[in-house]
Amino acid sequence: MENRLQLKPHRSVSEHIDGAWWPRTTNLVGELPDLLTSVSKRLGPVVMVGYRRNGWEETPASTELGGHTVELLGFTSDEPASVILIGADGHHLTLHVIRPDAGEEIARKALEQAAIPAEIGRAHV
């Protein structure tokens, strides 16, 4: 499976984004199983997903994944598209969402950039 998720090794205090995700479709519920499996080592079981409503199909308030209920909380924001994954222990990951219809080159570049912690990115400017 091609890599459509990129996480930073750590997030500095000044950062709000932990990585980037390039879903295949605009069906959030259909995309979540692969995403939650991919972050499970880092986050454990995810109990809530916050998502910016813009760009997703109609999404229910919750879904059953991996034998447990995941609450889905849509929000409105002018910020770039993102999802917030909240684990059972309260830890969370915030991921920039790359549009499913983005071109391969643009998406790969965004995924690469997302993996660079802010302090390293500033050092190269």
Side-chain angles (χ1 to χ4, degrees), residues 21 23 25-32 35-36 46-63 65 70-86 93-97:
W21 174 46
T25 70
T26 58
N27 177 343
L28 183 61
V29 172
E31 294 288 337
L32 284 177
L35 177 62
L36 300 190
V46 172
V47 296
M48 181 185 287
V49 176
Y51 64 97
R52 190 176 134 218
R53 282 191 183 97
N54 311 33
W56 295 108
E57 296 170 15
E58 191 68 33
T59 302
S62 67
T63 187
L65 293 173
V70 178
E71 190 176 342
L72 305 174
L73 182 64
F75 59 87
T76 304
S77 171
D78 292 332
E79 296 296 314
S82 62
V83 293
I84 304 162
L85 310 174
I86 303 171
L93 292 172
T94 301
L95 303 174
H96 167 69
V97 177

